[in-house]
Amino acid sequence: MSVFAWQRGFSLLEMLIVLTLIAIVGSLTAPKLFKQYNRALERSQVQSYASRIERLSHHAFQQGRSVKLAKDDNGFGTWPELPDGWSAQQLPVLRLLATGITNGGKLILQAHSGQRWQLEFAPLDGRIQIHALNADVENTLP
């Protein structure tokens, strides 16, 4: 029987090697994970913004009055408030008629990260499709 047969466990050198490998793998994957988290957060904010616009459309229908969503002198006065650090560019004026019909249109949102999102409003029913405008993110969201 060997002198070292009674020793159990790991040596300090083995532990340092394993910890070093874990640190290297963590340093390689952490930035990508944070980037994915930020994208998911932005995606969630865009979907929430689209939901607020849909609620505005339903409210206009229930009240029996039309709403014109247009840019005013102070920014987007009739649009729901944007998340902090976001900007928007409206293409045509969007009308939400009392009958529930819309004229269709587009709204481009830009997040503080630079990622751009397009909200496309379908004519007539006003369904909103969300598109990521940068190629490194999924193209269409439900």
Side-chain angles (χ1 to χ4, degrees):
M1 183 174 206
S2 172
V3 175
F4 298 104
W6 59 271
Q7 291 182 348
R8 293 195 174 186
F10 300 102
S11 70
L12 180 59
L13 182 60
E14 290 170 329
M15 293 296 284
L16 287 175
I17 289 172
V18 169
L19 289 175
T20 302
L21 290 175
I22 290 172
I24 290 171
V25 169
S27 68
L28 294 175
T29 58
K32 190 156 187 94
L33 289 175
F34 286 124
K35 191 174 184 180
Q36 289 295 333
Y37 172 76
N38 288 335
R39 283 185 185 163
L41 184 61
E42 284 180 5
R43 188 178 304 119
S44 171
Q45 288 176 325
V46 169
Q47 288 172 334
S48 173
Y49 192 76
S51 293
R52 285 188 277 162
I53 293 172
E54 286 177 341
R55 280 195 304 270
L56 227 160
S57 176
H58 292 298
H59 183 69
F61 178 72
Q62 289 174 346
Q63 296 294 320
R65 60 184 179 89
S66 298
V67 175
K68 181 173 107 175
L69 300 177
K71 188 175 183 179
D72 63 10
D73 294 337
N74 299 323
F76 288 82
T78 53
W79 287 94
E81 187 176 333
L82 290 166
D84 289 338
W86 288 60
S87 63
Q89 174 190 2
Q90 179 182 358
L91 300 179
V93 172
L94 181 65
R95 288 177 175 71
L96 308 172
L97 302 178
T99 58
I101 296 174
T102 65
N103 64 327
K106 294 179 183 176
L107 178 69
I108 297 181
L109 302 175
Q110 183 165 349
H112 52 79
S113 68
Q115 171 69 42
R116 294 176 49 190
W117 301 87
Q118 176 179 296
L119 276 62
E120 188 174 350
F121 303 90
L124 300 179
D125 65 1
R127 286 191 193 155
I128 301 174
Q129 280 198 338
I130 302 170
H131 305 279
L133 296 181
N134 293 358
D136 62 336
V137 179
E138 300 145 22
N139 289 335
T140 304
L141 298 174

